[in-house]
C-alpha cells in the first residue's frame, strides 16, 4: 500500500471514529434532554387546555352563584312551596322567565337553565331543552342537598322539534340566603353547557401526537378522541395529582392536570415512539453534520496527505537510484518541514558515501603503488652499485677476509629486502640484525663514518613492528644528515613502551632540516591522504605504510635543528610475537 493511501486511510478512519463517537455521545446526551423538553412542551399543552376548560367551568360556577342569590328567584321558589293551582303555575312561569333573562346575557356555551324543586320536580313549562332527570347522569345529585358539581355528558331533547344535543350540566343547590345555617333547602339550579363548545380546547392537531382525555372523580370518561385511548392506568385514576403529574406505562407517557371546581382530570397521552419520531429531524441533522464533517475533512486531508507523500516518494526514488550506484543523485524537496531536512541529510550522506568510495579507491590504488615501490626498493640499483664499488675497492686492496665479511652482510641484507611486503611484521631483533648488516656494508664504503647506537628496552623485544620500517629512516639519516656534514656521525635508535603503545625513534647528529622544508614535511605527514614527493620518497613511504597499517595516530613526527641533527619518531600498538601478521 502506498504511503499516501495509508495516510489518507488511517486519517479518514481516525476522523470517522472521532466524529462517530462524537455523534453517538451527542445523541446519548441530547436525546434525554429533547425527550424531557418534548414532555414539557406537552405538559404546557395540557396545562393550557386545562386552563381554558377550567376558566369556562369556573365562570359558570360564578355565574350560577349570582343567580341563586337573586332575591326575586329566592322569593318565587319559596312561593312554589306554599301555593298550588294557578298561583303555582304562574310562579313557575315567572321563574322560567327570569332564567331566560339570565340566559340571554350569556354566550352560546350555556344552552339553557332550569330549576328542580325540593321534591325533585323540574320547574319547566316550555324550556328550550328538556333534561331527563331519571338518567344516570343525575344520580349523584338526586338525593343530596349538599353535592354540587358537573355531570358527565348526557343528551337533552328540545320539546319543540325533538332535536338532541349533547351537554354537561352544572348542578348547584339553592339555599335560603336569609338563613346563614343553610338549613332551608329551596331546590337545585341546573345549567346545561354545550358539550362540543366545552371540549373544543381538547381537540388538538393529530400531528402533535398527543391525545387529550378527561374524566371525573368517579372515573367516568368526560372526553376521549376515540374509545381505545380512554384506558388510563390505575395509578392515575387513584389520584396521581398527589404524587406526580407524569407517568410512563407500557410505552405511553401520561401527562395530567386537574380542575378542582369540577373534580375533572385532564390527561394527555403520547407514546414513546411518537417522541422518538418527533426527534427524527434531530437524528437527521446529526447524520447530515456527520457526513458534512467527513466531506470537509476529506477535502482538507487529501491535499495534505498528497503534500506529505510527494516528497517522501521523491526520497524513496532517490534511495533506489543510490542503491543502483547512481551517487550523483540529488533530491530537491521544498516542503519546509522534517521531510525537507531528511532530504538534505540524505544528499549529504550520498556525497559522503561517494567521497568515501573515491577515497577508498584512491587509497587502494596508492597501496598498490606502494607495494610496487617497495618491490622496486628491493633491487635499488644505486645501493647495488655502491655495494659493488665497495667490493671492487676491497679487491684492489687484496684483503680477502674483508671481502668475505662484506659479501656475507650484503647477502643477508639482500635476502631481507627481497622477502619484504608492506604489511609484513618482524621482531625488533630481526630489525636490529638487518640494520647492523646494512651498517657493516656502509663501514667499508665510508670508513666508519657512521656509528649506529641501539637503545632498546629488553621488554620491547617481545613486540613486532612492520618489516624494514627502520631502514628508510636510517638511510635518510645517513645520506641526508651525516654524510653531508663531512664528519663522523652517529645514529641513535631508541625503542620503548608503555601500557598502550610502542614508541620508536631514530635520531642523528647530521646537518638537520631547514624550517621551510621541515614545515612542508610535517604537513605531508599529517595529511589524511597518501602523499607523494620524489625529494622525500623514503620518509613518505614509511609514513604511508604506518597510516595504512595503524591509522593516523601512528604517523611520523619530525623534530630538527639545522647543523645539530634530526629526531624522527612514531608510536605503534603493542603487537606480540605470537600475533599473526596477516591479521594486522
Amino acid at each position: 500500500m502506498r504511503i499516501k493511501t495509508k495516510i489518507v486511510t488511517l486519517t479518514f478512519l481516525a476522523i470517522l471514529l472521532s466524529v462517530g463517537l462524537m455523534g453517538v455521545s451527542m445523541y446519548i446526551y441530547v436525546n434525554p434532554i429533547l425527550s424531557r423538553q418534548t414532555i414539557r412542551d406537552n405538559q404546557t399543552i395540557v396545562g393550557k387546555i386545562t386552563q381554558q376548560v377550567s376558566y369556562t367551568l369556573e365562570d359558570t360556577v360564578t355565574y350560577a352563584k349570582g343567580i341563586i342569590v337573586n332575591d326575586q328567584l329566592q322569593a318565587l321558589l319559596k312561593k312554589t312551596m306554599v301555593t298550588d293551582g294557578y298561583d303555582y303555575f304562574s310562579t313557575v312561569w315567572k321563574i322560567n322567565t327570569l332564567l331566560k333573562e339570565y340566559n340571554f346575557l350569556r354566550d352560546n356555551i350555556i344552552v339553557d337553565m332550569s330549576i328542580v324543586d325540593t321534591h325533585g320536580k323540574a320547574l319547566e313549562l316550555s324550556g328550550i331543552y328538556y333534561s331527563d332527570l331519571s338518567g344516570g347522569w343525575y344520580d349523584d345529585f338526586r338525593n343530596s342537598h349538599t353535592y354540587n358539581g358537573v355531570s358527565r355528558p348526557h343528551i337533552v331533547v328540545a320539546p319543540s322539534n325533538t332535536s338532541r344535543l349533547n351537554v354537561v350540566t352544572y348542578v348547584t343547590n339553592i339555599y335560603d340566603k336569609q338563613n346563614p345555617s343553610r338549613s332551608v333547602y329551596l331546590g337545585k339550579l341546573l345549567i346545561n353547557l354545550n358539550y362540543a363548545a366545552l371540549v373544543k380546547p381538547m381537540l388538538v392537531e393529530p400531528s402533535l401526537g398527543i391525545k387529550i382525555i378527561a374524566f371525573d372523580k368517579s372515573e367516568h370518561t368526560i372526553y376521549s378522541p376515540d374509545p381505545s385511548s380512554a384506558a388510563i392506568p390505575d395509578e392515575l385514576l387513584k389520584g396521581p395529582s398527589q404524587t406526580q403529574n407524569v407517568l410512563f406505562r407500557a410505552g405511553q407517557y401520561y401527562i395530567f392536570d386537574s380542575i378542582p371546581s369540577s373534580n375533572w382530570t385532564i390527561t394527555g397521552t403520547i407514546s414513546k415512539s411518537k417522541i422518538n419520531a418527533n426527534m427524527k429531524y434531530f437524528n437527521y441533522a446529526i447524520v447530515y453534520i456527520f457526513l458534512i464533517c467527513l466531506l470537509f475533512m476529506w477535502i482538507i486531508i487529501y491535499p495534505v496527505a498528497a503534500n506529505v507523500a510527494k516528497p517522501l516518494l521523491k526520497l524513496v526514488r532517490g534511495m533506489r537510484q543510490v542503491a543502483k550506484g547512481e551517487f550523483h543523485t540529488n533530491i530537491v524537496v521544498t516542503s519546509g518541514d522534517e521531510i525537507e531536512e531528511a532530504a538534505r541529510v540524505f544528499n549529504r550522506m550520498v556525497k559522503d558515501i561517494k567521497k568515501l568510495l573515491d577515497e577508498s579507491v584512491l587509497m587502494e590504488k596508492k597501496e598498490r603503488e606502494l607495494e610496487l615501490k617497495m618491490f622496486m626498493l628491493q633491487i635499488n640499483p644505486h645501493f647495488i652499485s655502491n655495494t659493488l664499488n665497495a667490493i671492487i675497492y676491497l679487491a684492489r686492496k687484496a684483503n680477502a677476509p674483508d671481502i668475505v665479511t662484506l659479501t656475507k652482510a650484503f647477502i643477508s641484507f639482500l635476502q631481507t629486502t627481497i622477502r619484504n611486503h608492506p604489511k609484513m611484521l618482524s621482531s625488533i631483533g630481526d630489525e636490529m640484525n638487518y640494520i647492523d648488516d646494512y651498517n657493516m656494508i656502509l663501514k667499508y664504503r665510508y670508513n666508519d663514518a657512521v656509528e649506529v647506537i641501539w637503545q632498546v628496552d629488553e621488554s620491547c623485544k617481545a613486540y613486532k613492528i612492520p618489516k624494514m620500517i627502520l631502514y628508510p629512516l636510517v638511510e635518510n639519516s645517513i645520506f641526508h644528515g651525516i654524510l653531508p656534514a663531512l664528519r663522523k656521525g652517529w645514529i641513535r635508535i631508541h625503542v620503548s613502551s608503555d601500557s598502550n603503545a610502542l614508541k620508536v625513534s631514530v635520531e642523528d647528529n647530521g646537518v638537520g632540516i631547514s624550517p621551510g622544508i621541515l614545515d612542508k614535511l610535517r604537513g605531508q605527514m599529517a595529511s589524511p591522504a597518501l602523499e607523494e614527493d620524489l625529494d622525500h620518497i623514503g620518509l613518505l613511504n614509511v609514513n604511508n605504510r604506518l597510516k595504512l597499517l595503524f591509522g593516523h595516530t601512528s604517523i611520523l613526527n619530525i623534530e630538527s635543528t639545522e647543523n645539530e641533527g634530526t629526531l624522527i619518531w612514531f608510536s605503534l600498538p603493542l603487537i606480540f610475537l605470537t600475533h599473526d601478521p596477516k591479521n594486522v
Side-chain angles (χ1 to χ4, degrees), residues 71-89:
D71 292 336
Q72 183 179 0
L73 179 63
Q74 290 260 325
L76 291 173
L77 287 175
K78 291 176 182 178
K79 188 175 181 180
T80 60
M81 299 172 65
V82 296
T83 60
D84 55 8
Y86 174 80
D87 290 337
Y88 174 80
F89 288 106

Side-chain angles (χ1 to χ4, degrees), residues 56 87 122 180 185 205 219 275 299 327 440 477 483 485 489 549 552:
T56 301
D87 290 337
Y185 172 64
E205 290 291 334
E219 302 179 11
I275 293 178
I299 294 173
F327 293 101
M440 181 178 291
S477 294
L483 294 181
L549 292 173
H552 199 71

Side-chain angles (χ1 to χ4, degrees), residues 78 137 333 396 485 519 526:
K78 291 176 182 178
W137 66 271
V333 176
R396 287 176 180 173
D519 291 339

Side-chain angles (χ1 to χ4, degrees), residues 233 247-254 270-272:
L247 287 177
F248 179 75
R249 293 292 183 273
Q252 295 279 339
Y253 284 98
Y254 295 90
I270 183 169
S271 66
K272 178 68 175 178

Side-chain angles (χ1 to χ4, degrees), residues 477-529:
S477 294
I478 293 173
F479 289 101
H480 297 285
I482 295 175
L483 294 181
L486 301 178
R487 65 175 183 270
K488 186 175 181 178
W490 50 264
I491 299 175
R492 183 184 295 114
I493 303 174
H494 181 75
V495 182
S496 62
S497 66
D498 56 24
S499 59
N500 296 318
L502 183 72
K503 184 177 180 181
V504 180
S505 65
V506 178
E507 184 181 5
D508 65 68
N509 63 342
V511 297
I513 305 173
S514 66
I517 296 177
L518 181 61
D519 291 339
K520 178 182 177 183
L521 283 172
R522 286 174 174 170
Q524 290 175 328
M525 300 302 158
S527 173

